């Protein structure tokens, strides 16, 4: 089976809002979150979408 | 000497010339120089032969010879398969793929052009035998005009109004005019998109067109054509920089978001206007009997 869309990683500054599922990266600040998300986007060939100011997800399209 | 030799020769030459006229390598880079062209010219030559010998065969009471035409038909269906397979294989390596609908459209065109060749050489040979070479030249010329007229279908400018439009961000949401395109999280990526991106809106001219431009294959063809003509700012592994088309559900307009390497408004508009309307995407809801009854 080929997955059409999948969340590959979650990046957040608020650990209380996410639990299990895809790998979670907890960051100290918004800047760190941007940096981690940019790296993950490049590594995973996914797009980083913003769910809110505290949560980014990397999605494979 | 066989009295039919000149008419047959004439038919073959006219048919092959007709195929040459119909074979154009344009911005789609297809068929490619030189080998791709040879394949089609060779098949055109075979088609011309079949068309040219059909009339003399009937006149010689060799009726079974006509059954060759059915072999031709299956051969040319094979051409369609060949084109479809080649293009589908190649499509996965395109930065902005053509899409299946576009590929099928190209494949249909190649098949039908061979039938046009048969038809042209058949008519010219028939006129040569029935009348004379001068009449045959005139018939060949008329065939050429018809081919030229019917070969090219309509383009986007016939069915939609295209306008340049602003792209903007509302939070993480990317918009072309007021049409939502996608969610871009990273501020860095958003800056990139605002720097390189261009937006256009296509407004359908009538109700039928709405379903045509809503077709995903048609939309992919638009993206492919514009990306080929203006270049595209992306590489493998940058899915956030994929050009996209989304639809406004209220009025059927479509918003086009592209990242061209050459940011030239006039050229972009011209390219968008000349994107072919794909045969397979055309829908005619106004032709349905339900619509006619309610309208009566």
């Amino acid at each position: 089976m080929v997955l059409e869309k999948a969340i590959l990683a979650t990046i957040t500054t608020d650990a209380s809002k996410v639990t299990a599922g895809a790998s979670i990266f907890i960051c100290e600040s918004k800047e760190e979150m941007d940096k981690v998300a940019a790296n993950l986007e490049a590594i995973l060939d996914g797009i980083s979408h913003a769910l809110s100011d505290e949560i980014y997800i990397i999605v494979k399209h | 000497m066989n009295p039919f030799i000149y008419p047959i020769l004439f038919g073959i030459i006219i048919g092959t010339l007709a195929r040459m006229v119909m074979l154009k390598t344009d911005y789609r880079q297809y068929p490619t120089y030189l080998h791709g062209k040879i394949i089609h010219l060779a098949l055109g030559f075979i088609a011309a032969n079949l068309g040219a010998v059909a009339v003399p065969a009937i006149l010689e009471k060799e009726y079974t010879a006509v059954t060759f035409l059915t072999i031709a038909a299956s051969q040319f269906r094979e051409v369609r398969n060949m084109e479809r397979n080649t293009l589908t294989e190649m499509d996965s390596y395109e930065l902005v793929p053509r899409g299946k609908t576009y590929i099928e459209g190209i494949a249909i065109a190649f098949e039908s052009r061979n039938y046009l060749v048969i038809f042209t050489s058949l008519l010219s040979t028939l006129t040569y035998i029935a009348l004379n070479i001068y009449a045959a030249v005139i018939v060949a010329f008329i065939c050429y005009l018809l081919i030229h007229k019917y070969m090219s279908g309509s383009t986007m400018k016939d069915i939609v109004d295209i306008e340049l439009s602003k792209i903007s961000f509302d939070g993480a949401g990317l918009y072309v005019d007021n049409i939502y395109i996608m969610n871009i999280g990273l501020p860095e990526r958003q800056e990139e998109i605002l720097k390189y991106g261009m937006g256009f809106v296509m407004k359908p001219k009538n109700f039928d067109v709405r379903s045509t431009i809503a077709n995903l294959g048609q939309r992919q063809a638009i993206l492919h054509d514009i990306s080929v003509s203006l270049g595209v700012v992306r590489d493998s592994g940058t899915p956030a920089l994929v050009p996209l088309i989304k639809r406004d559900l209220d009025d059927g307009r479509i918003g086009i978001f592209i990242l061209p390497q050459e940011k030239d408004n006039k050229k972009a508009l011209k390219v968008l206007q000349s994107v072919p309307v794909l045969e397979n995407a055309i829908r005619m809801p106004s032709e349905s009997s339900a619509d006619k009854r309610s309208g009566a």
Side-chain angles (χ1 to χ4, degrees):
Chain A
M1 191 180 77
V2 180
L3 278 181
E4 281 277 315
K5 278 182 203 247
I7 300 179
L8 303 175
T10 312
I11 308 109
T12 183
T13 49
D14 186 353
S16 65
K17 292 206 170 153
V18 286
T19 56
S23 312
I24 302 165
F25 298 83
I26 299 158
C27 303
E28 296 292 321
S29 61
K30 176 98 169 61
E31 287 70 43
E32 192 191 348
M33 188 163 84
D34 284 348
K35 222 173 189 175
V36 172
N39 275 332
L40 281 171
E41 194 183 72
I43 296 163
L44 298 170
D45 281 3
I47 303 182
S48 73
H49 296 297
L51 292 186
S52 66
D53 285 343
E54 293 100 39
I55 307 172
Y56 284 176
I57 52 172
I58 310 279
V59 178
K60 178 90 183 164
H61 284 272
Chain B
M1 199 167 68
N2 187 329
F4 295 128
I5 198 85
Y6 286 118
I8 290 177
L9 209 61
F10 181 77
I12 292 173
I13 292 170
I14 289 297
T16 315
L17 281 179
R19 188 69 190 94
M20 274 184 188
V21 169
M22 287 189 280
L23 195 63
K24 277 192 278 186
T25 298
D26 56 13
Y27 64 94
R28 278 164 282 201
Q29 258 307 305
Y30 201 82
T32 40
Y33 300 109
L34 172 66
H35 297 91
K37 281 196 168 178
I38 288 174
I39 294 173
H40 291 290
L41 286 178
L43 284 163
F45 176 72
I46 295 168
N49 270 283
L50 288 165
V53 297
V55 177
I58 293 171
L59 292 176
E60 288 287 305
K61 297 198 173 71
E62 295 284 347
Y63 300 121
T64 44
V66 180
T67 53
F68 274 118
L69 291 177
T70 57
I71 300 171
S74 60
Q75 276 298 325
F76 298 137
R77 252 201 323 273
E78 205 46 52
V79 170
R80 183 163 156 187
N81 281 334
M82 176 191 82
E83 286 306 324
R84 187 192 297 125
N85 294 342
T86 319
L87 288 172
T88 311
E89 287 292 318
M90 291 188 329
D91 213 32
S92 54
Y93 295 106
E94 298 268 2
L95 282 177
V96 180
R98 282 190 173 83
K100 289 202 170 93
T101 317
Y102 204 172
I103 289 176
E104 197 57 42
I106 294 173
I108 290 177
F110 278 119
E111 185 186 356
S112 69
R113 280 172 195 189
N114 279 311
Y115 296 128
L116 285 175
V117 168
I118 295 188
F119 193 64
T120 307
S121 55
L122 192 139
L123 277 186
S124 354
T125 316
L126 179 66
T127 334
Y128 194 139
I129 295 170
L131 300 167
N132 52 43
I133 187 167
Y134 303 109
V137 170
I138 293 168
V139 166
F141 185 67
I142 293 170
C143 281
Y144 168 74
L145 289 181
L146 285 176
I147 283 171
H148 205 71
K149 183 161 188 283
Y150 290 108
M151 197 183 71
S152 50
S154 52
T155 52
M156 290 314 280
K157 70 170 177 294
D158 303 325
I159 63 168
V160 290
D161 295 313
I162 308 166
E163 288 162 13
L164 183 71
S165 179
K166 260 178 78 82
I167 54 172
S168 56
F169 277 97
D170 180 10
L174 170 64
Y175 287 84
V176 168
D177 197 33
N178 62 344
I179 304 167
Y180 177 77
I181 303 289
M182 69 165 157
N183 178 310
I184 298 285
L186 291 176
E188 186 191 337
R189 200 69 69 238
Q190 293 189 357
E191 278 164 30
E192 234 168 49
I193 281 171
L194 287 174
K195 185 175 162 204
Y196 294 113
M198 276 173 99
F200 294 91
V201 171
M202 279 189 179
K203 216 163 116 192
K205 282 187 181 168
N206 61 49
F207 189 78
D208 283 351
V209 172
R210 279 191 190 195
S211 345
T212 305
I213 58 170
N215 183 292
L216 293 176
Q218 179 65 57
R219 292 199 238 169
Q220 190 60 41
I222 294 172
L223 290 179
H224 176 79
D225 272 10
I226 188 113
S227 305
V228 165
S229 303
L230 297 183
V232 59
V233 182
R234 75 163 299 216
D235 196 8
S236 62
T238 53
L241 299 178
V242 174
L244 282 173
I245 294 193
K246 289 285 157 86
R247 185 167 181 239
D248 186 336
L249 298 182
D250 284 332
D251 54 12
R253 289 178 308 147
I254 53 173
I256 305 168
F257 161 68
I258 54 167
L259 290 141
Q261 259 166 351
E262 194 183 341
K263 222 174 162 181
D264 181 342
N265 297 346
K266 273 194 191 144
K267 195 171 169 192
L269 275 173
K270 221 167 161 189
V271 173
L272 285 174
Q273 282 169 348
S274 49
V275 173
V277 178
L278 301 181
E279 283 176 57
N280 299 317
I282 297 173
R283 299 283 175 275
M284 296 275 182
S286 62
E287 296 289 316
S288 95
S289 55
D291 201 62
K292 276 184 186 144
R293 227 168 285 148
S294 65

